[in-house]
Amino acid sequence: MTINKKLEGTELTIALEGRLDTTTAPDLEDEVKASTQGLTRLVLDLEKLEYMSSAGLRVLLSAHKAMTAQGGELIVRKVNETIQEVFEVTGFSDILTIE
């Protein structure tokens, strides 16, 4: 998986490419933990994400909780049909802000 970051003021966009699974989820988790301090908005761009496992979902939920705890928000953008189906089946579509 490739992680691309773009910081604009207090908004960080993280674009993911490839597969978010048990092998790559720790990389994203480390990146989120290291980068969210002082942010008001964390945007996850999933346009090029091909697959997401339960490990990836756990990282998204953790990021959502972290951003909410510091008064910020997590936005998920450009979700493809495959990932959207995962969100709907797991109930994450009700938890996350998806644009």
Side-chain angles (χ1 to χ4, degrees):
M1 180 181 67
T2 305
I3 300 173
N4 296 305
K5 298 188 325 181
K6 181 180 179 185
L7 181 63
E8 293 180 8
T10 59
E11 178 177 308
L12 175 65
T13 298
I14 297 178
L16 303 177
E17 188 174 336
R19 298 173 55 89
L20 181 53
D21 54 25
T22 55
T23 305
T24 58
D27 297 335
L28 179 59
E29 186 172 30
D30 291 345
E31 195 64 57
V32 168
K33 284 181 180 177
S35 304
T36 56
Q37 204 66 294
L39 293 181
T40 57
R41 178 180 277 195
L42 174 61
V43 178
L44 295 177
D45 180 338
L46 305 184
E47 182 176 23
K48 296 181 180 178
L49 192 66
E50 300 164 3
Y51 172 83
M52 182 182 299
S53 73
S54 58
L57 290 171
R58 183 184 56 77
V59 175
L60 265 62
L61 184 59
S62 176
H64 174 71
K65 287 181 178 179
M67 289 304 297
T68 302
Q70 66 187 39
E73 63 181 332
L74 172 69
I75 306 292
V76 181
R77 288 192 180 142
K78 300 178 184 174
V79 179
N80 65 42
E81 193 175 304
T82 303
I83 305 302
Q84 183 63 40
E85 187 175 325
V86 171
F87 287 160
E88 289 174 9
V89 168
T90 59
F92 272 64
S93 56
D94 297 330
I95 298 168
L96 301 174
T97 302
I98 302 172
E99 296 180 346

